[in-house]
Amino acid sequence: MGIILRALIRTTAAGTLAGLVTVSGMVLGPLSQSAQGDWLTATTGVNLRSGPGTTYPVVGGLATGQRITALGDSTGGWTPVDLYGKRVFVASRYVTGDTTYRAADSTTGSTTIVGTATTTANLNVRTGPATTYPVATTLGKGTSVSLTGQTSGTWTQISRSGSLYWVSTVYLTTSATAPAPVTTGTATTTTNLNVRSGPSTSYGIITTLARGTAVTTTGTTQDGWTQISLNGSLRWVASSYLSAGSGTSVTLPVAEPVTSTETMYATASVNVRTGPATSYAVVTTLERSQQIGVTGRTSNGWSEVVWQGAQRWVSSQYLTSSQPAPSTVVEPISNSSFLASALVGSVGLGTTVPAITPIVNTVESRWPVVGPYYGTRIEPGSDHNDGRAVDMMIPNWSTTNKPTGDAIAAYLQANAQQYDVSYIIWRQHIWSVARASEGWRPMADRGSYTANHYDHVHVSVN
């Protein structure tokens, strides 16, 4: 999924936190009461503490304008708030309440729960149904969440600590055992068919399958719905729109796992799709020279590939078995913010957020062997999609330049605050500011060296 891991809470620089210095000329918003579920907005940089007083340890911080959820009333000048699922405290005079964003139902004081789901990856929880909304917290893989039945596009509303939030439907499943489902056979869709995260229309739509698509079934049904395995997760479709063949009882074959047989390279910027035609949804975009695993299966000029462990398709004409020579094309960027040498063969830098520029320029000046750089691209659920990430390609990554990638990853880790880094991925390991105490954590196999980040260092910013 390109795992989304932005931190909500970022302690501001020493000397600017409320309670440490006097902020002259600033109008602070006193807060005497704040009900559970209300949003609080920091009126200045302020510490978050483990208890209601300055004698308690600092456990985080809010920058001016950042929001956080209240967990109860303000008492003695301190308000309990939710920090990654933990109860911590903020000085009430440095935050202001906003009941516009109150999550609990204003009429009943409670939220109707229609079911539960489980996260299939580390998952950002947001205040609204889009990546433009702030991240309230991050849930670990395998976390159970309560569903309200409300959806918006590819987003699902959940209830947590009495408040309503939104998560990407793609990373939810109604099976606690995902993403390793047991499969029993296949069926075929008889019309364009919505795939949902649970067995009713109240659950969010994950994707839509075209008529005639083969799906892998698990043998589980519920109230007119059939459970299927899709991209390693358990999903649901309406049983009435599935056919096992001619309508007679048949023995369905056991589905085989999707594995690659060889590695190929993109000859140009090319879309990766959910099926073998341009009518299928775009999952991500490969850049020139980017490698991907192929299964050997083809269909009408399309090659089946493995992207992040899932079966996907790429137009065969844009794949080659040998790595193309580096492109000499320079990406046109009108503001000249990037070093000229970094633009050769790069794609998507011109639409990245400003924090990406100093990262690229520093890496290019310190390690000129690196490149090209890949910034913004179509990849729903990824920081690349909204320009907050860059992939820095490492030539000869498996031999002579492995130490270069190691050095870049270590440098960005050590200077994460300076460059506003959220997380770094290198050689199938991830390090994030939010979980810095855990060090570099291993990641699951996504099916190719590129998807596993062996040939490039990925960095996301806040």
Side-chain angles (χ1 to χ4, degrees):
M1 93 182 212
I3 300 173
I4 309 172
L5 298 172
R6 295 182 198 153
L8 166 67
I9 306 302
R10 197 163 37 86
T11 305
T12 54
T16 63
L17 293 175
L20 298 181
V21 297
T22 300
V23 184
S24 62
M26 179 174 290
V27 178
L28 301 179
L31 180 69
S32 58
Q33 293 292 316
S34 180
Q36 178 171 333
D38 283 355
W39 276 106
L40 307 180
T41 302
T43 57
T44 185
V46 60
N47 282 328
L48 297 175
R49 296 182 180 271
S50 61
T54 56
T55 59
Y56 288 89
V58 175
V59 294
L62 296 176
T64 303
Q66 280 191 307
R67 289 187 178 131
I68 198 165
T69 307
L71 293 181
D73 294 340
S74 174
T75 304
W78 293 84
T79 302
V81 294
D82 181 11
L83 175 63
Y84 298 122
K86 295 182 179 180
R87 185 182 180 87
V88 301
F89 292 82
V90 62
S92 304
R93 59 178 174 155
Y94 296 114
V95 291
T96 180
D98 187 354
T99 56
T100 302
Y101 291 91
R102 186 169 184 181
D105 189 294
S106 59
T107 302
T108 64
S110 62
T111 299
T112 301
I113 305 302
V114 301
T116 60
T118 303
T119 61
T120 61
N122 294 334
L123 181 59
N124 285 335
V125 178
R126 296 183 181 271
T127 62
T131 56
T132 55
Y133 287 87
V135 176
T137 187
T138 300
L139 302 179
K141 177 181 177 181
T143 301
S144 179
V145 295
S146 299
L147 307 178
T148 69
Q150 299 298 312
T151 60
S152 177
T154 59
W155 295 81
T156 293
Q157 190 181 64
I158 67 171
S159 175
R160 181 174 172 80
S161 301
S163 299
L164 300 183
Y165 299 104
W166 294 83
V167 295
S168 175
T169 309
V170 173
Y171 302 107
L172 292 181
T173 178
T174 55
S175 170
T177 60
V182 176
T183 58
T184 61
T186 60
T188 303
T189 60
T190 59
T191 187
N192 294 338
L193 182 59
N194 288 334
V195 178
R196 297 183 180 269
S197 59
S200 76
T201 55
S202 65
Y203 288 87
I205 297 174
I206 303 294
T207 188
T208 301
L209 301 178
R211 176 182 179 181
T213 301
V215 295
T216 302
T217 59
T218 68
T220 300
T221 59
Q222 181 177 326
D223 299 326
W225 293 79
T226 294
Q227 191 181 63
I228 66 172
S229 173
L230 182 66
N231 302 336
S233 296
L234 297 182
R235 307 301 186 190
W236 295 83
V237 294
S239 304
S240 58
Y241 298 109
L242 291 179
S243 172
S246 61
T248 59
S249 178
V250 296
T251 300
L252 298 173
V254 177
E256 297 181 357
V258 180
T259 57
S260 59
T261 58
E262 65 174 310
T263 297
M264 299 192 77
Y265 301 85
T267 60
S269 181
V270 59
N271 290 329
V272 179
R273 297 181 179 271
T274 57
T278 55
S279 58
Y280 287 88
V282 175
V283 176
T284 188
T285 303
L286 299 180
E287 307 303 342
R288 177 183 168 88
S289 296
Q290 190 170 346
Q291 63 180 196
I292 193 166
V294 297
T295 67
R297 289 186 283 271
T298 60
S299 176
N300 298 322
W302 293 78
S303 294
E304 187 182 60
V305 300
V306 180
W307 176 254
Q308 297 188 351
Q311 174 197 39
R312 303 300 187 194
W313 295 83
V314 172
S315 177
S316 302
Q317 63 179 313
Y318 295 106
L319 294 177
T320 180
S321 57
S322 58
Q323 187 169 19
S327 173
T328 58
V329 175
V330 177
E331 180 183 6
I333 297 179
S334 59
N335 61 10
S336 303
S337 55
F338 293 93
L339 293 177
S341 57
L343 301 180
V344 178
S346 297
V347 178
L349 291 184
T351 52
T352 54
V353 298
I356 294 296
T357 304
I359 293 176
V360 171
N361 288 345
T362 299
V363 171
E364 180 66 17
S365 60
R366 285 173 172 259
W367 298 278
V369 71
V370 175
Y373 300 83
Y374 301 135
T376 306
R377 63 173 177 258
I378 299 173
E379 191 169 306
S382 163
D383 290 339
H384 284 287
N385 205 57
D386 54 9
R388 294 185 176 275
V390 63
D391 290 336
M392 299 172 283
M393 306 307 292
I394 311 295
N396 300 320
W397 54 267
S398 63
T399 53
T400 55
N401 287 332
K402 178 184 177 297
T404 299
D406 293 341
I408 293 171
Y411 174 81
L412 292 174
Q413 179 187 11
N415 296 276
Q417 183 175 5
Q418 175 185 344
Y419 292 104
D420 202 22
V421 170
S422 174
Y423 64 91
I424 308 162
I425 307 176
W426 169 237
R427 297 184 68 82
Q428 210 171 331
H429 283 73
I430 183 171
W431 177 87
S432 66
V433 173
R435 299 169 64 178
S437 61
E438 300 177 47
W440 287 88
R441 294 172 280 118
M443 295 176 60
D445 185 1
R446 295 181 175 182
S448 74
Y449 288 120
T450 296
N452 288 332
H453 299 77
Y454 276 88
D455 60 0
H456 69 279
V457 178
H458 168 106
V459 59
S460 286
V461 297
N462 292 308

